[in-house]
Amino acid sequence: MEFENITLTKEIPIATIQLNRPDVLNALNHRLLSELVFCLEQLDSDDSVNCVIITGNEKAFAAGADIKEMAEADTIDMLSRDSFSAWDRIRRIKKPVIAAVSGFALGGGCELAMMCDIIIASETAKFGQPEINIGVMPGAGGTQRLTRAVGKYRAMEMILTGGMMSAGDAAKSGLVNRVFPVELYLEEAKRLARLIASKPPLAVKLAKESVLKSEELSLKDGLEFERKNFYMLFSSEDQKEGMKAFVEKRDPRWKGK
Ligand code: DAK
């Protein structure tokens, strides 16, 4: 697939996908989302890549779904476009994905960042769900993920007023892992990606899967799910290698098996 709206840079063992529609603040049109999903799925099955970053540019991570593309749509158009399948496929990516956010992360842009596993922000990042201002409401997880991240009261205010949250407040509220000056946020996201990429890939994937399950399962069911993934890793070569390396006081050599 030829990419028109994203760029992919591999710095093995990490890869960075840059959303690339700067003239419209990276508004997420159908084509961009298709390219993003295609690229993420390719990277998910690429053994040389262990961690992925999604980023935008300094001014915008993404200012939401492309309003011009949706403006004339009716319910049947929205249903038949089936654009939710792209979002569902992003949710199924097994490798860790870091959002490196600067500038606007609004509507679908905020929802995309929240679908990532870790959010690193620049000091200029602004998060919001402004759909209320254009006559709708969040549709790609905003009411659920924002509420889980920042709590009911902050999420309710943001979603009902369409107001934006600064990077600093997002970090205080638990929506953002860390905030850096704008010249450093992408490099810091890469540093974190390289650290995660240096860990045993199978354990990383199963740990990610287990953490995500905590959003869906009761504590009892989540603990059982975690236990099964934990047991499963004892049939991996990396478990033998990791524990042997510890005993032999040397660095482990991961195989991802
Ligand atoms: N869509 C299309 N174009 C956009 C855009 C957007 N979301 N956001 C900005 N642009 C375009 C502007 O139209 C302008 O284009 P030109 O007029 O130059 O051609 C250019 O980007 C620069 O924007 P501004 O001139 O407005 O720049 P400012 O710095 O003055 O303002 C702003 C920046 C971010 C405050 C403003 O652009 C703004 O309010 N943008 C809209 C933000 C917004 O309402 N976002 C939510 C969109 S609704 C779904 C899943 C998800 C969704 C929908 C369906 N399914 C699975 C079915 C999500 C919905 C949304 O995200």
Side-chain angles (χ1 to χ4, degrees):
M1 186 182 207
E2 287 271 305
F3 298 141
E4 288 167 16
N5 299 295
I6 62 170
T7 59
L8 169 65
T9 311
K10 286 190 190 174
E11 296 163 287
I12 302 302
I14 69 169
T16 304
I17 301 173
Q18 184 179 28
L19 310 179
N20 194 23
R21 297 186 76 210
D23 295 348
V24 287
L25 305 180
N26 292 332
L28 305 167
N29 64 1
H30 188 68
R31 171 84 199 182
L32 185 153
L33 274 174
S34 307
E35 290 178 8
L36 178 62
V37 171
F38 178 86
C39 188
L40 282 169
E41 287 176 346
Q42 292 281 308
L43 294 172
D44 216 24
S45 53
D46 177 342
D47 288 341
S48 69
V49 172
N50 291 346
C51 188
V52 179
I53 295 171
I54 301 178
T55 194
N57 54 53
E58 279 184 26
K59 184 148 188 227
F61 178 72
D66 192 319
I67 298 171
K68 291 162 198 162
E69 203 178 61
M70 287 185 297
E72 299 302 326
D74 62 22
T75 306
I76 303 301
D77 294 331
M78 292 303 277
L79 264 173
S80 53
R81 282 179 200 172
D82 191 26
S83 39
F84 283 106
S85 66
W87 294 89
D88 290 342
R89 283 161 63 192
I90 296 173
R91 194 162 60 88
R92 287 197 290 270
I93 298 299
K94 294 193 176 69
K95 288 179 185 169
V97 182
I98 298 176
V101 176
S102 186
F104 298 111
L106 303 178
C110 187
E111 291 170 318
L112 176 61
M114 290 192 293
M115 288 182 82
C116 297
D117 304 307
I118 288 174
I119 304 181
I120 299 297
S122 86
E123 285 165 349
T124 66
K126 292 177 206 63
F127 298 83
Q129 298 289 162
E131 291 91 339
I132 202 83
N133 296 331
I134 53 169
V136 287
M137 58 174 276
T143 63
Q144 305 303 300
R145 292 201 177 89
L146 187 63
T147 306
R148 282 171 167 78
V150 305
K152 171 186 153 186
Y153 302 101
R154 289 192 190 100
M156 194 70 89
E157 183 179 335
M158 283 173 77
I159 289 167
L160 299 189
T161 66
M164 296 184 207
M165 185 183 261
S166 69
D169 285 346
K172 278 187 222 138
S173 310
L175 176 59
V176 155
N177 291 67
R178 271 189 284 285
V179 181
F180 295 98
V182 73
E183 9 7 302
L184 290 181
Y185 79 101
L186 186 55
E187 206 33 63
E188 290 293 337
K190 288 185 182 179
R191 196 180 59 75
L192 184 58
R194 280 191 288 269
L195 176 62
I196 294 169
S198 72
K199 307 295 177 188
L202 264 181
V204 166
K205 276 188 202 166
L206 294 190
K208 165 175 170 165
E209 186 187 36
S210 302
V211 173
L212 289 180
K213 280 287 174 201
S214 74
E215 294 181 336
E216 295 165 16
L217 300 180
S218 68
L219 180 60
K220 176 178 162 292
D221 291 342
L223 289 172
E224 278 170 20
F225 187 89
E226 176 192 83
R227 205 160 297 168
K228 289 197 173 123
N229 275 355
F230 177 74
Y231 284 147
M232 196 132 72
L233 288 170
F234 277 78
S235 58
S236 72
E237 291 181 30
D238 283 350
Q239 174 267 326
K240 302 286 173 295
E241 166 65 6
M243 295 191 181
K244 193 160 177 266
F246 177 81
V247 174
E248 293 171 0
K249 298 186 189 297
R250 60 171 175 81
D251 288 337
R253 287 178 294 272
W254 306 122
K255 289 188 178 157
K257 291 187 196 162

